[in-house]
Amino acid sequence: MPIKLIAHALIEKDGKYLLIKRSKIKRGSPNMYPEYWDIPGGSVEEDELPREGAVREAMEEVNQKIQLSEILHEDSCYDDTKGIVFTRLVYKAKLLEYNREIKLDPEEHTAFRWIQTLSDMKEETIVPYLNDLFK
């Protein structure tokens, strides 16, 4: 059965972490977890290492140059509608350029926020794996 790798970066700055809000529609189709808060990341491309994918996604999604350290989280699930196992890796990340402007692609994300803990996200909907990540 095929495996699809997904790589994310938990970007830290001054004790706060960057979250981004997913759009309702992504490139003309309903987005997965529409209007949920997530962290930068996405599919690892063919012939790309997961670390490279996480760095690339941080640049594409939030215009941030990052350096990764250890893996903070891993989870996998089987999508029986697609017949694919999705495996997510989340890396700890720090900024390489401290004051670089955050730029979002409105086709993918509509807002960003720096938080210290998930309690800063009261009344907001977050992707499920963030609960495990922030424990």
Side-chain angles (χ1 to χ4, degrees), residues 20-24 31-33 35-36 38 108-109:
I20 50 180
K21 190 172 187 179
R22 300 170 67 89
S23 61
K24 283 185 185 180
N31 202 353
M32 189 96 154
Y33 291 108
E35 297 189 316
Y36 280 58
D38 199 354
E108 290 193 40
H109 302 97

Side-chain angles (χ1 to χ4, degrees), residues 14-76:
D14 297 330
K16 294 185 176 183
Y17 301 95
L18 180 61
L19 267 61
I20 50 180
K21 190 172 187 179
R22 300 170 67 89
S23 61
K24 283 185 185 180
I25 304 295
K26 179 179 177 180
R27 315 260 183 258
S29 298
N31 202 353
M32 189 96 154
Y33 291 108
E35 297 189 316
Y36 280 58
W37 288 87
D38 199 354
I39 58 176
S43 296
V44 176
E45 295 178 355
E46 191 174 328
D47 297 326
E48 182 178 56
L49 296 173
R51 290 177 155 283
E52 295 168 339
V55 168
R56 175 185 49 75
E57 288 286 345
M59 180 55 76
E60 289 176 3
E61 292 186 348
V62 292
N63 190 43
Q64 297 301 298
K65 293 182 180 181
I66 59 171
Q67 181 178 25
L68 304 178
S69 54
E70 74 265 22
I71 293 174
L72 297 172
H73 175 84
E74 177 274 327
D75 67 74
S76 296

Side-chain angles (χ1 to χ4, degrees), residues 80-108:
D80 56 357
T81 64
K82 297 178 182 176
I84 298 174
V85 172
F86 289 91
T87 297
R88 174 189 345 271
L89 299 174
V90 179
Y91 294 92
K92 183 177 181 180
K94 69 177 186 177
L95 297 173
L96 290 178
E97 295 180 13
Y98 207 68
N99 293 315
R100 189 177 178 97
E101 179 185 0
I102 292 178
K103 294 180 185 174
L104 302 175
D105 177 351
E107 282 285 320
E108 290 193 40

